[in-house]
Every structure is written in C-alpha cells, then in structure tokens.
Amino acid sequence: MQKYSVFSLIKNSLSGHRNWDVAWKDPTPKKEYEVIIIGGGGHGLATAYYLAKEHKITNVAIIEKGWIGGGNVGRNTTIIRSNFMYDANARFNEFGMNLWRNLSQELNFNVMFSPRGIINLAHSDAQMNAYARRGNSMRLNGIDAVLLNREEVKKIIPQADFSEDVRFPIFGGLMQPSAGTARHDGVAWGYARQADAMGVDIIQHCEVTGFDIQQGKITGVRTSKGNIKSKKVGICVAGSTNILAEKLNMSLPIETHVLQACVSEPIKPLLDGVVTFGAGHFYISQSDKGEMVMGGDLDGYNSYAQRGNLPTIQHVLTGGLAVFPFLSRLKMLRTWGGIMDMSMDGSPIIDKTHIEGLYLNCGWCYGGFKSTPVSGWTFAHTIAQDRVHELNSELSLNRFSTGHLLDEKGIGTKTWIG
Amino acid sequence: MLHIKCPYCGIRSQKEFAYGGDATVKRPKLNSEVSDKEWDDFVYMRKSPRGKHTELWHHISGCRQWFKAQRDTVTHEIFKTAKINEEIK
C-alpha cells in the first residue's frame, strides 16, 4: 500500500495524479472465509480492520449491498462524544474517544477529528440539576464534563439568543470539551483502505439473500454473487437489521425509523463547537466548508425510506431558530435521510446470538457514528474470541428480558420519540 | 406531508396526528399466567417490516380517537385505515 504523505502528494502531482494506487481492490468473492461481515458501513469496515490488526484474522470478507460508506456513515452529522450517564455507555464511548484521537495517524488517512467541544443547553433549573448529575457521572468515569452557567455559555456562544423574554431562556449547559466532529466519509475510506491492505476482501454490490444454518450453527451466507461459506458471520447493517432478522426468523428489540439532517449554505466561521437545544431536539455544528450542519427528531413513524418529509425539518428548525435566530437568514442547501436501527432502550447491542457463529451489532439509534471505532474494536473481539469483551458485556441482546436496560433518556419503548 | 384518513373525520394533514407504533402487538391476556418470554415479546420485540405495516395513530388534534392504519414503510402510501376494533388484513 502506498503511504499517503506530503512527499507522495508531491511525487504524484508531478505525474498529474495518474499513478496513485487504488485505495481498495474490487475482488470476486472466494468460496470460503474465516469471517464474513455483512455491511460495509463504518462499523463493518472498522470491525474488519480490527479483526485483521488486533486479532490477525485477515481471511475476512465484507459484503455490502450498495457501496461502502453509502449508508449512515456518510449521512450523519459527524458528532463524536462520550457524554453518557450510565457506566456501560460512558466506559464504552470513552474507550472510543481514545481510538478517535489517534485515528488519522493509525489509518494514514486524515479523518479530520476535531475536538471542538459540545454544549448541551439547559433551559430550566430542573434541567441544570439533571446535567449536574450527568456531569458528575461522567467525571466519575474519567470523562471531562463542565457545568456552565448562563454567563459562561454566553462567553462561548454569544450568537445564541440570550434575551430574557424567550419561551426557553438559556439557564446554562453541560459541556464536554473533548467532544467534537470528524470527516465521516473519510472514516469509512480510511478503515476500508487499511483493511484491504491487510488482506480483507471488500465485496460491493453484493446483497445477502439468506443464511445457511445447520444444527444451530452458521455455515455460510447466500448472496446475489453466489453462496459463500463461513463459520463466523457478523451482522452490522444498522437500519437493515430487521430485514436480515426476518430471514433468520428472529425478533429483535429494534424498530427502523428515518432520521433527517440538513445543511445550510456555507458561511464564514461562526460556530466553533457543537451545540444542542435542550427544550426540543436540535443540534448544530459548522462544517469546515462553512455549512451549518443540523439535525433533530426522527420523522416519527416506522420507515425504510432513506428520505424524510418536510414537516419534521420544519419542526426541527423551529427549535433551531429558538436558540440561534440568525439561522432564519440562511438558505437551506440540502436535506437528506438515513434509516436508523432504533433499539427499545436507546443503547446499542453488540453480542452473540442463539445461532452459533452468528454475531449481531445493531441498535445504534441515531448515535452510531461516534462509536464507529469502539464498535468495530469490540465487535472484532466478540467475533474473534467468540465471547464479548468487558466493554460490550452490558450491551447484550438479552438485557431486555432480564431488565438490565440502558435507557439513557428514560423514555421507554417509544422508539419514534427518541 | 402525509395525508391520513381518520375513520371518524376523513382526510386530514399529518400535523393533527400522533403515532402509536405497531398495531399487531398483542398484550398478554389479563389475569393469566404470563411467561417472561411472552412479556418480553409484547414489550420489546418488533418485526418492523419493510413494506406493509399495520400501525396505530391518534387523531390527537382532532377527534382524539385512536385508530389503525396500514401503510407502506418505504413509499409511505397509506392503503387503508380502520377503527380500533376493526381488523385490517
């Protein structure tokens, strides 16, 4: 593999950039692999990378129905954070933060991880108390959390609406200074390129149509490019999880919903961190290109559409205008949707299944991007060792029946209001 | 914008309605022995089909009645709606 550096850039510029190596190959599937990963999104690519790097398992295929990085890893609002209250989620995601910090160097690909901080705004005394509690929980897990009062928030985001007579005045906020953003498609490409270099086969435009199971053990998958054998198969398909579960005759504590995001026209630098509105569901950051990147609520009914409806965009941006009135003067550039595997408690599932050799990575709701490295890392461990790692031991499939839920928001099973 | 036909009021805009989830989920019978698995299936397990989905809607800013709708989860086409005690096939 050709290393990317300033020298290789200069060298290739002299030959008009016509001699770069391909970033990953386009192989025809082999008859059998040691591990098959279904889903070439961020999590699937990261899983394959860590299988090769940490567990020296390189006879791996990633099977992707469309093209790699064409799903949620390229559709999210790129926010990376670990501001969780529950120990299991906090430890898991803080481990991920450490992977993020070295990711560009490790992958030799600039994922543009930018720890610019996130502020969750509070609009009542009760919310300040709740944030104080969450901040304390975070600090006990070694995560940086700063409780800001109104004046401190104003110093950081003076462009927000600090008038007294608004419906939801800003009381303060909880900040995680080490949170940030990254270049999401770069993450997919970086993982793909390194996984390919270590021998992983990335098979695109290949749909899984069924599973071969004998005596409770997985023996392979059926695909649009023929049957492929493997004793270990990992499912990592986000919003398509229920479709594959149906082929396996499995019920899962997951519903699929569409989440929209949007960007404004690019403007000069105005907002240097990530801000969330606390009285509605709205979050915003500014991309390096200058666009305001925004998102919020799900469309609110089961959907596989990968596109949304305008009432939700209008509703989300109404929340946005409450915090940042300047947004009303911006033109909207694009809106788009992605389909989310909404779990019944809002936390993910990385676990074995009742079928031997079949592993499940799902339930990311609308927060999967930030966990891409740690999801891949722990899923690779779970597959390679055939047992869960301590980090994902509580992200289990059976926690719903045993009552060990990780309901971070405490909203119960109404996934569509998540 | 979805246009939803309330079985009581007729076609109205989506903004008048609240969603209520999968209508095919059946609560275990009251006053009967319920296994953990049955309860688990009722509370948490969902098929979430790609295609036809029978679901509950609440005409919350209208007549305030709950009803059922059969909708396509890809195209969002609503095939039919029915009162809560009526079957949708």
Side-chain angles (χ1 to χ4, degrees):
Chain A
M1 187 185 65
Q2 203 172 8
K3 193 169 164 21
Y4 291 162
S5 68
V6 66
F7 303 109
S8 68
L9 188 63
I10 293 166
K11 189 177 139 211
N12 279 282
S13 72
L14 296 175
S15 57
H17 295 294
R18 280 187 297 270
N19 298 317
W20 286 102
D21 286 350
V22 292
W24 51 84
K25 297 176 280 294
D26 188 19
T28 46
K30 291 190 271 184
K31 290 250 178 304
E32 183 165 4
Y33 289 92
E34 192 173 342
V35 178
I36 291 174
I37 304 294
I38 305 172
H43 292 217
L45 293 163
T47 304
Y49 168 76
Y50 291 112
L51 274 171
K53 178 175 171 258
E54 302 288 338
H55 306 279
K56 311 297 172 217
I57 300 173
T58 57
N59 187 14
V60 176
I62 293 173
I63 300 178
E64 164 59 44
K65 183 173 70 174
W67 57 93
I68 57 165
N72 295 344
V73 72
R75 292 168 189 259
N76 58 76
T77 48
T78 80
I79 298 165
I80 294 161
R81 58 187 176 85
S82 59
N83 53 358
F84 289 88
M85 190 174 79
Y86 286 128
D87 289 347
N89 283 332
R91 279 196 298 259
F92 180 83
N93 282 296
E94 187 55 16
F95 185 87
M97 292 300 290
N98 285 324
L99 294 174
W100 276 114
R101 287 173 191 129
N102 296 318
L103 203 59
S104 291
Q105 287 74 18
E106 187 178 335
L107 297 180
N108 178 229
F109 202 104
N110 191 0
V111 301
M112 296 167 73
F113 174 58
S114 164
R116 50 183 72 185
I118 185 168
I119 300 174
N120 301 125
L121 294 175
H123 308 276
S124 67
D125 285 328
Q127 208 167 13
M128 284 299 285
N129 289 343
Y131 279 163
R133 181 187 178 209
R134 183 160 121 195
N136 286 336
S137 299
M138 287 165 60
R139 291 169 74 113
L140 287 171
N141 278 309
I143 301 165
D144 54 332
V146 186
L147 193 66
L148 305 171
N149 64 27
R150 182 179 160 90
E151 290 310 310
E152 288 163 331
V153 173
K154 197 172 180 177
K155 267 186 209 147
I156 301 170
I157 46 166
Q159 61 276 56
D161 190 349
F162 283 90
S163 18
E164 303 274 348
D165 56 350
V166 291
R167 173 67 184 85
F168 299 108
I170 294 167
F171 275 53
L174 182 65
M175 185 175 190
Q176 184 188 2
S178 67
T181 58
R183 173 191 173 196
H184 50 191
D185 42 5
V187 175
W189 299 335
Y191 276 124
R193 179 167 159 266
Q194 289 292 346
D196 175 90
M198 288 188 284
V200 171
D201 276 2
I202 299 172
I203 301 159
Q204 303 182 75
H205 306 293
C206 177
E207 182 174 0
V208 170
T209 54
F211 296 85
D212 287 319
I213 295 159
Q214 283 170 4
Q215 291 155 349
K217 292 181 190 173
I218 193 114
T219 57
V221 294
R222 293 172 211 168
T223 78
S224 55
K225 291 188 176 177
N227 295 354
I228 309 172
K229 286 187 192 165
S230 181
K231 290 187 179 115
K232 289 184 171 185
V233 174
I235 297 178
C236 214
V237 297
S240 299
T241 304
N242 284 98
I243 299 172
L244 289 187
E246 195 189 343
K247 295 184 201 299
L248 290 158
N249 212 11
M250 277 170 81
S251 273
L252 291 174
I254 286 176
E255 277 188 352
T256 302
H257 288 266
V258 66
L259 178 73
Q260 298 189 75
C262 56
V263 293
S264 74
E265 60 185 321
I267 53 173
K268 288 189 174 178
L270 180 67
L271 188 63
D272 60 357
V274 183
V275 179
T276 73
F277 179 43
H281 202 165
F282 173 80
Y283 42 85
I284 184 169
S285 62
Q286 189 171 18
S287 75
D288 292 332
K289 285 186 285 184
E291 304 150 330
M292 306 309 286
V293 185
M294 299 168 281
D297 279 311
L298 295 169
D299 266 31
Y301 39 83
N302 291 43
S303 175
Y304 284 90
Q306 283 191 313
R307 59 181 156 68
N309 280 331
L310 282 173
T312 305
I313 290 286
Q314 191 179 27
H315 170 74
V316 166
L317 291 177
T318 305
L321 288 175
V323 198
F324 293 115
F326 72 82
L327 288 173
S328 69
R329 289 156 64 186
L330 297 183
K331 290 190 181 70
M332 196 65 72
L333 198 63
R334 296 191 299 281
T335 74
W336 65 94
I339 51 173
M340 310 289 135
D341 38 338
M342 301 299 297
S343 72
M344 288 287 167
D345 63 354
S347 295
I349 295 160
I350 304 178
D351 204 353
K352 298 163 69 171
T353 65
H354 68 283
I355 298 162
E356 199 179 317
L358 184 72
Y359 306 87
L360 194 59
N361 180 331
C362 62
W364 290 97
C365 301
Y366 31 62
F369 176 68
K370 65 175 167 297
S371 304
T372 303
V374 64
S375 164
W377 197 93
T378 51
F379 198 39
H381 181 279
T382 305
I383 294 170
Q385 312 280 329
D386 193 37
R387 60 184 167 83
V388 295
H389 188 268
E390 195 190 336
L391 282 169
N392 61 318
S393 61
E394 289 180 55
L395 306 180
S396 63
L397 186 52
N398 74 355
R399 69 174 184 266
F400 299 91
S401 48
T402 61
H404 294 86
L405 300 183
L406 292 166
D407 195 346
E408 199 77 35
K409 284 188 178 171
I411 56 166
T413 60
K414 303 269 184 294
T415 56
W416 55 91
I417 61 168
Chain B
M1 178 81 76
L2 299 180
H3 290 107
I4 303 170
K5 187 182 172 189
C6 169
Y8 303 91
C9 311
I11 291 177
R12 300 294 178 92
S13 123
Q14 173 192 339
K15 286 186 170 178
E16 295 187 14
F17 297 88
Y19 184 64
D22 191 337
T24 64
V25 178
K26 289 264 188 297
R27 188 186 172 101
K29 224 173 147 207
L30 281 176
N31 302 322
S32 62
E33 196 64 29
V34 179
S35 70
D36 284 356
K37 165 121 190 14
E38 283 171 303
W39 189 249
D40 199 26
D41 286 349
F42 162 62
V43 180
Y44 299 115
M45 298 301 169
R46 299 290 180 267
K47 286 285 179 203
S48 195
R50 188 177 193 276
K52 279 186 182 173
H53 187 236
T54 304
E55 56 202 22
L56 295 169
W57 285 85
H58 187 192
H59 196 184
I60 191 154
S61 301
C63 65
R64 300 182 66 82
Q65 294 289 325
W66 283 91
F67 63 94
K68 291 178 191 169
Q70 189 185 54
R71 183 181 57 88
D72 191 302
T73 56
V74 183
T75 64
H76 298 159
E77 180 182 356
I78 296 170
F79 303 106
K80 52 180 111 168
T81 55
K83 291 177 183 172
I84 200 81
N85 58 351
E86 293 170 352
E87 286 295 312
I88 288 191
K89 291 237 165 64

